[in-house]
Amino acid sequence: MPTRIHPLLIAFTVVVYLFLLGPLIIIFGASLSDTTYLTFPPQGLSLRWFENIWEISAFRRTIVTSLQMAFLGTLIALIIGIPAAYALNRHRVSLPAWLSTLFVLPILVPEMVIGFSLLRSVTVQMGVPVWYALLIGHTLLVIPYVIRVVSASLASFDFSVEEAAISLGSHPAKTFFTIVLPNIRSGVIAAFILSFITSINDVSVSLFLTGPGISTLPIQLLAHMEQFFDPTIASVSVVLMMLTIVVMIIVERTLGLAVVAK
Amino acid sequence: MKRLAGWMLATPATLAIALLLVIPVAGTIGMTFGTPGQGDWGIVQPYADFFASNFRRRVLWRTFEVAGYVTVISLAAGLVTAYVVARCPAWTKSVLVVLAVFPLLTGVIVRSFAWLVLLGREGMVNQFLIWTGLIDGPLTMLYTPGAVIVAMVYIFVPLMVLVLVGVLENIPEDLLQASSSLGAGPVASFFQVTLPLAVPGLIVGAVLVFTASFTSYATPALLGGTRQMMMGTFLHQSAMVRFDWPGAAVVAAIMLAVILATVLVMTRLAKRLNPMAT
Amino acid sequence: MPRLKTLTLSSLSTLALLAAAPASATTFTISWWGFNGDKLQEIIVNPFQEMCGCEVVFETGNNGDRLNRLQMRSGAGVDVIYLTDSYSQTGIEQGLFQPIDPAQIPNISELYEMAQAPQGEYGPAYTVGRIGLVYDSARVNPPITSWNDLWREDLAGMIALPNITTTTGPMVVLKAGDHAGVSAYEDQDATFASLAELVPNVVTNYNTGSEMINLFSTGEIAVSMTQDFTLNPLRAAVPTVEWAALEDGEIAVLNTINIPTGSENVELAHQFINFVLSAEIQQQLAEQGVDAPVNTNVTLTDEQAASWTYGEEAIGRLQRIDYSQLNPARNEWLDLWNETFGM
């Protein structure tokens, strides 16, 4: 019960929450300002800076590219990651111990190092076109999340159900799709969402891999900030925040908020 | 057949990471080594050159400093907040955790940008300080290590809260009840029961925040500027602006080494300090 | 697993649609700074797209960024590249450009002589500018009249200098040498000692012109060193900004357009260069505050000419830089600069 906690600690916590959420409210306010410069509280209310996002072709293009990378990257990661997670759980004995460490490498190795290394090897040495190199980078980034989250889901799955189905004559592959997958559904969805958000927000890898005409939203935001320090940056931020809220609502509806705490 | 099945399922992911991560990164590390016999240090000459440069040593040290401050402050703020949140009733706790995690999902640029606006000479912090009469004219707060630290703390406290709420929740309630029934007040219980049990989790949180802030790019780039270079921004400048790829590779390799060392040491430490480990 | 299937199918089809969308005719890729993007779009890009029936795409960034990327791609990936003369000199030395065919660019004959072939058989200059000092007259008193004023004590914490990695960065070093009464090429120690004296006055060093303008508009700085093309947008953001009347003279800068060796649309590239050098386009660019004209058939009123380097006489008064000396020195100065400002 909160009454057992010293009021000073509660006060401190309130301050921390104000600290965490305050700036976001300020950005929200600044995005609505009818001025050409950033100011809070907003002077005059207007949605023009939201309209401006759509008018700038660079933003339109990079939003599309970011969505492409997030969707495709996550999809590919799911396609190769779910079997890997399954193998780690089901066939643990026949796989070396270092494999799970290998799968976690993209999180362990600093993103800046990954981005630079991919630029050297994939873009320059192998001559892979920008769009594909970017996709490779984003897929790599999210593989560990897919494998970890799906693994966690599989860990609480009772494999005896699967074995029973197989012993009754069901083909192993079909059993996977009809028995295992539906039961780890929440894990797959969580993995999808986590990966999607990671990819959309990525800076360090995209920084090295973007090229003429092909860039992602965060990188474009950085470029825009350099050129124009106007409320468009605030409105793009608000759009990203809205996207996050939508995602969280989806999570809440399908899995319950408790999943976030895990 | 069973043995092969495991490998077949794991192969695509293994290949993807081996070919697209391990080999490129190994290549980067490989290019950091010079030729034997060149200079006084032979194949590690490029590293010797790095450490011989005053500027580069300063960049490395500054990165350690900033990451260190950020980790300690986030740990403290996160621990207190997590302690309070973990003690709230279930529904309040869920809401509070969601509120704490929400900023985490909005991306580093949005959150660094917020401080770019707040800490400017015409920003709200200056306006507030002038209004309270604490200062006469605006202070320059941007492009200082302090600005980078504040913004990074802002970015990592949610992560710390998320990790620590989980850690504190896992501490069995009956241990604390036992402690209080033996006469220990809340403070004593905290320091003698809760904290020691939370240490492994604290270490995990600290490692996450330290490694992320050590390798950060966007926040130092936006709030530190060119006079406050850190390893991340220096790597970018070396690779993409100066086109000094051998130099950039050395920076990358050192960054990787620091991270790996931190993770290894801290994982060992966490295992040793875990009173509940079998 | 219907849910997963629908998700996969819908994503794949959406992406197929997205990918199929812009596959139009030829793509013409321009590499430039991105500064004044909206005006360039209006004055140059839209009319050119109509003329050629092609789609124009950009690579943006500062000189170093874009030249490095061009080198990474071994000269391929863009059709024309805008660079300042010191960087196009480097590009030429690196073998990244192809000689232009003056026969395909008749408008070259209308240019000032110094702009026609500034770097031999390679691209022409499309604008000439000067590098000088700008200051916010509302915050700086007395006004700045000399390069030496940068070292004034009352300017503590008010200056942003161009970073050594920019075009104008190395010129800061040259001026620091002048301040110490030595040649920066010959006496590095004295030069950098002089530069170190500047440190308390400098808040940060900027990487792009637009960054500098932001620093002024948010009040972070009140003095900077920059090229005159930033003056109009700077004044629009901060009306009290003045271009310093320097008694010790300003530095000349020529911006060039070149065709990389890997250009896929060489003929179109020549057409483009001819287009942007035409009196019409140069007139519009000058009147709209984008670039100073080098086409002799452009006439500006005194008011319009005020913020530009305009006229043979004005150009003659500027200090020229010998890039064959500066470029190699720049690499040496990089680390010394970082040790001065970045510690």
Side-chain angles (χ1 to χ4, degrees), chain C residues 72-332:
Chain C
M72 271 189 321
R73 299 186 303 250
S74 307
V78 298
D79 295 308
V80 282
I81 182 163
Y82 281 62
L83 289 168
T84 195
D85 49 357
S86 73
Y87 278 86
S88 54
Q89 177 67 33
T90 308
I92 292 170
E93 287 161 13
Q94 289 174 344
L96 293 172
F97 306 146
Q98 45 180 293
I100 57 147
D101 177 10
Q104 295 189 46
I105 312 183
N107 284 330
I108 283 192
S109 55
E110 295 180 22
L111 306 182
Y112 289 119
E113 221 197 287
M114 71 162 12
Q116 289 184 10
Q119 289 167 333
E121 45 181 3
Y122 296 96
Y126 68 94
T127 188
V128 60
R130 339 158 249 174
I131 294 174
L133 296 175
V134 286
Y135 63 98
D136 186 349
S137 54
R139 286 173 60 187
V140 175
N141 227 337
I144 295 189
T145 53
S146 154
W147 290 100
N148 292 316
D149 285 343
L150 283 174
W151 278 261
R152 268 166 42 179
E153 277 175 18
D154 64 312
L155 297 181
M158 290 168 77
I159 305 180
L161 292 173
N163 203 15
I164 187 71
T165 48
T166 63
T167 327
T168 35
M171 296 169 205
V172 177
V173 179
L174 289 177
K175 289 304 172 189
D178 289 348
H179 180 77
V182 300
S183 156
Y185 299 118
E186 287 159 27
D187 190 346
Q188 267 183 12
D189 291 339
T191 305
F192 279 89
S194 156
L195 199 58
E197 288 168 26
L198 253 188
V199 170
N201 290 6
V202 175
V203 175
T204 186
N205 294 325
Y206 68 83
N207 285 317
T208 63
S210 28
E211 202 184 313
M212 184 263 310
I213 296 180
N214 286 337
L215 288 168
F216 262 104
S217 70
T218 53
E220 298 299 321
I221 59 168
V223 181
S224 192
M225 171 172 163
T226 181
Q227 269 187 255
D228 58 356
F229 73 81
T230 61
L231 189 58
N232 282 327
L234 188 51
R235 280 230 187 89
V238 185
T240 43
V241 160
E242 300 287 346
W243 181 268
L246 298 172
E247 46 197 34
D248 26 14
E250 296 147 338
I251 305 172
V253 156
L254 294 171
N255 284 358
T256 61
I257 312 186
N258 271 286
I259 306 179
T261 49
S263 166
E264 290 178 357
N265 299 296
V266 182
E267 213 184 287
L268 206 49
H270 280 93
Q271 262 184 36
F272 179 81
I273 298 180
N274 196 45
F275 178 66
V276 298
L277 291 180
S278 66
E280 252 170 33
I281 300 298
Q282 290 253 315
Q283 179 90 28
Q284 285 182 50
L285 288 171
E287 287 173 356
Q288 296 273 328
V290 178
D291 280 317
V294 287
N295 191 314
T296 51
N297 290 331
V298 170
T299 40
L300 298 178
T301 65
D302 283 342
E303 204 191 302
Q304 287 165 333
S307 40
W308 292 131
T309 315
Y310 178 66
E312 193 84 52
E313 193 211 313
I315 296 178
R317 271 186 281 139
L318 300 172
Q319 182 190 349
R320 295 293 308 270
I321 301 277
D322 178 5
Y323 291 110
S324 63
Q325 249 197 324
L326 187 65
N327 283 355
R330 182 170 79 198
N331 291 323
E332 278 183 53

